[in-house]
Each structure stands twice: as C-alpha cells, then as structure tokens.
Amino acid sequence: TNNPPRAMSRQFDLVVYGATGFTGSLVVEYLAKAAPAGLKWAIAGRSEAKLKKVRETASGLNPACSDLPMVIADTSSVKTLREMAASTKVVLTTVGPYSLYGEPLVKACIDNGAHYCDLTGEVNFIAHCIRTYHKAAQDANVKIVHCCGFDSIPSDIGAFMVAQHAKKKYSVDMASIDMVVLKAKGGVSGGTIASAAESIIRTDKKDAKDSYCLLPPDAKRGPAVGPQQLGPRKQKDLKRWTMPFVMESVNARIVRRSAAMLGYGPNMLYRESQQAPNLIVACIASAIMICFIVMFAMAPTRWLLRKFLPAPSQGPSRQTMKTGAWVVRHIGTTEKDASGKSRRIDCVISQQLDPGYMGTAVLIAEAALTLAVEETPGTFGVIQPAVAMGEALATRLSKAGLSLQVQDKE
C-alpha cells in the first residue's frame, strides 16, 4: 500500500478542516450522504459551537453522524494543526485564501505523514509550495494535492484521460489539447472572489508571465503558448467563438505540470477557453473580464469591488446550486503515427450541479476519499490530481454521478 508511514493506526481516515465555512459545510453534507460504510471521519474548525451546528445538519441527513467527532484546530495555532494532521490519513481543507492560511497546514501534514487536498486556485501559493515542500513531501511519502475543485480536476483529469487513451490505443504522444467550457451554470461565492483577488495581488511577476512556471526543474518546456487569451477566438474544431476562461491561468499550469510528469508529449500545447453563443457576447465578456482583473490589481478599485461583491462566508442559494451544471470538452490532437496519421481524441466531462460550490464539494470530497481508501499511484510530493490519483479518481467521480467520456473523432 502507499499510505504514508504511521497512517495505519490513525484515529481517522479523513478530517474536513474548514467544515463551518460555506464550501466546507457542503463537503460535510455530501460526505454524510456518500461516505463509504466504515469510513472514520471528523469535522474540524475553530469554533466548537459552529461545528455542532454543522454536525446537527449532517445528522439530519444521516443519523449515524450524530456523534461525528469534532476537532478544534486553528491556522494561528501550529500545535492544533500538527495534532489534527497526526490523527488522520488525509486532511481536506477548504480554508482559504490559501496564500494567507494554507502553508502551516501543508507543513504540518508533511511533518506528520498525512495526505492533503485543497481548493486553491492561487498560482503563487502552488508555486511556493512546489519550491519549498516538494522534496520534503516526497521523502515523507506524502501527497500534497492542490486544486481539487472545479479548478482544476476537470481540466487535469480530462487531459489525463485523453493522453492515456492516445498512449494505450495508438502509442502516440499528444500534439495539443484544447479544453473548452461548453456550459458553466451557477453562482459565485465570496470565498472564490477573495482567492481570485489574492492570486492577482500576490502572483510573482516572473511567474505571471511564465506559462510553465509550475514545471519540475528538469522538465522540457512545451511550445510557446503566447499570452493568455483576453479576447474572442474562433475554435477551429468546434467552429464556435470562444472567450477567455477565467480559471485558465491556474488550470493550464496545473495540466502542463501533469503533462511533464506523466509524459503526455514533449511538444504538447495546452490551452483553455469558454464557448460563447456569438461574437458579440464573446467581445463583451472579454471586456468585462479584463476590467475585473485591472480593478482587482489596483488597491482603490479593489476596495470598491469588495464593497459590492459577496463576503467570503456568503455564497449562492441552494436553488441556484442545485439547478447549476457544467460541461467541458477536451479536444485532443495526437502527433502523427508511423503511417503519418494524426488522430483527434475528445473527452467530455459533465456534472449536474453548479461548478463553484455543490459540484466542487463533490469533487474535493471524492479526491479526499480516493486518497483515503483507494489504491493510488506511488508518486508523492506537491502534485496534481491526475498525478496523485489518476484512474482511481476518474473511477470514483463516475460513480459519484459525473459523466466522463473519451471519444475517438477520426
């Protein structure tokens, strides 16, 4: 088995840290209904009173949760983080922005032999963790897995499935993969906005310009990506207009690191965009996105935006989340095979929940369950969902109601 050392005698298989937050409480609700029989899990946070409320909700969904263990832990107290990490095989954390609150827990998990998964979309934080903790996590047989929500599991697992299919069926590398968001319906919470703001404010200027900033030091850099898409672009395979996808800056870097570590193809180009109904919508959406980025980058306008946007503890209504849905398509083109033929391989992934919250709660919960109970690849360090869990995660996600389909498109 590849559980970290000392993990076999742990009190818990999984601890949800940040269980009282907006997304954390959705994770707890999902686990109350979907956790496998016999899973030993607990909820963790700063406030015992708030944890009790979360436990009450969980026991309403599943009476067995009435005595769900509670762990009091606080980012400002390293001792509590170390004790929490030492008590469990896996820590699932929803406590962001991670560049402000994430690092002490990453360190505590490595020092105490617990796997870790989070929802960060902050390139600066991921780059810092790779540079500072990758070797230590490898030595400790620990998996530190960032980006286990809508960013970047669909991007990472979809590209993984396309590249695996190309290797297994045709023994060829990928030349390119274009991920297009075909549908993303659902609201936005304050926590996401806070994390996006932190990412814009804190990302190192050198990293911001470097599409390959998360690559392992010895890896070959892929082809020049050019600047991030900021305006409309015609997607030649779909023959549709696309607009910039707000999470491309993190997703694409995650996928490029996975591609380098798993060998999708030394010259593979990876990009992301979002489908637009027409050119006019693509132009307007592109302009709005640029305005947001510029306003978040400057202190006075950032202050103004925060006055009008949801606070970190707020999120969309239950109705908005339940009627939400998302669909992404990876359009893969292989290198030419021995007969000179290049093939197209697509992967379509969808979920009938909003991408930002209920959908993301399922994604990170299933990632944590994969780390806790499934046989996963023997790769450790600060790594991505596809590298840490691979097919084991894809299998769990399809059982959890997602559709993941790889298609040969001649």
Side-chain angles (χ1 to χ4, degrees), residues 30-349:
Y30 176 72
L31 287 171
K33 293 180 285 191
L39 184 85
K40 298 177 294 181
W41 65 291
I43 53 176
R46 286 179 300 187
S47 157
E48 190 175 0
K50 285 183 182 174
L51 285 170
K52 279 182 175 162
K53 276 191 184 164
V54 171
R55 184 166 70 178
E56 254 172 58
T57 306
S59 58
L61 298 167
N62 177 356
C65 293
S66 57
D67 55 357
L68 189 64
M70 299 186 302
V71 176
I72 305 299
D74 187 346
T75 308
S76 63
S77 163
V78 172
K79 181 172 173 284
T80 62
L81 298 181
R82 293 180 71 85
E83 285 168 0
M84 173 172 71
S87 73
T88 184
K89 288 185 193 175
V90 181
V91 175
L92 179 168
T93 173
T94 61
V95 181
Y98 294 89
S99 49
L100 299 180
Y101 307 117
E103 187 174 354
L105 182 55
V106 167
K107 189 171 186 316
C109 285
I110 294 168
D111 290 346
N112 293 280
H115 298 317
Y116 162 108
C117 56
D118 71 19
L119 293 173
T120 189
E122 300 151 67
V123 173
N124 56 304
F125 174 66
I126 302 160
H128 172 73
C129 286
I130 290 168
R131 288 163 192 156
T132 314
Y133 297 110
H134 181 61
K135 176 77 170 68
Q138 279 181 313
D139 292 346
N141 279 11
V142 163
K143 301 186 185 209
I144 302 294
V145 194
H146 299 305
C147 303
C148 289
F150 181 62
D151 44 283
S152 305
I153 281 180
S155 301
D156 202 30
I157 290 294
F160 167 80
M161 289 174 75
V162 167
Q164 290 294 99
H165 185 78
K167 275 210 175 19
K168 283 179 184 165
K169 191 166 178 182
Y170 303 112
S171 303
V172 288
D173 285 339
M174 297 308 301
S176 69
I177 300 178
D178 256 22
M179 191 279 266
V180 183
V181 180
L182 302 181
K183 179 179 183 179
K185 181 171 178 264
V188 172
S189 89
T192 301
I193 291 162
S195 287
E198 284 304 320
S199 197
I200 292 165
I201 298 159
R202 290 168 178 266
T203 297
D204 178 84
K205 296 285 180 285
K206 187 163 158 277
D207 286 347
K209 288 178 183 163
D210 183 2
S211 306
Y212 292 95
C213 67
L214 300 184
L215 251 58
D218 54 347
K220 178 186 182 299
R221 298 166 69 81
V225 176
Q228 185 182 343
Q229 181 179 345
L230 291 174
R233 185 170 72 204
K234 194 78 175 267
Q235 212 293 331
K236 62 181 191 319
D237 299 287
L238 295 180
K239 299 180 175 60
R240 298 293 293 266
W241 283 103
T242 66
M243 54 196 184
F245 177 47
V246 68
M247 295 316 301
E248 188 208 15
S249 62
V250 61
N251 290 342
R253 286 173 168 91
I254 288 290
V255 172
R256 288 176 198 129
R257 180 170 166 84
S258 292
M261 294 177 95
L262 298 173
Y264 297 172
N267 301 307
M268 187 187 90
L269 177 65
Y270 181 83
R271 296 188 300 191
E272 293 191 347
S273 58
Q274 185 163 356
Q275 183 175 287
N278 54 53
L279 177 57
I280 294 166
V281 172
C283 290
I284 294 166
S286 301
I288 291 170
M289 185 173 139
I290 292 164
C291 287
F292 255 92
I293 291 169
V294 170
M295 287 176 81
F296 262 128
M298 299 187 296
T301 44
R302 185 162 63 243
W303 176 84
L304 194 66
L305 275 179
R306 282 180 171 154
K307 286 275 180 213
F308 294 99
L309 294 168
S313 57
Q314 298 171 330
S317 70
R318 298 237 149 210
Q319 187 57 23
T320 301
M321 293 189 290
K322 279 186 175 160
T323 55
W326 59 265
V327 184
V328 302
R329 180 185 285 272
H330 290 70
I331 300 161
T333 306
T334 70
E335 299 283 11
K336 291 187 170 95
D337 64 14
S339 66
K341 184 173 183 184
S342 169
R343 297 172 190 277
R344 175 159 156 211
I345 302 165
D346 284 16
C347 178
V348 180
I349 308 181

Side-chain angles (χ1 to χ4, degrees), residues 365-383:
E366 289 296 341
L369 290 170
T370 305
L371 290 171
V373 304
E374 303 292 349
E375 194 66 40
T376 57
T379 309
F380 303 97
V382 180
I383 49 179

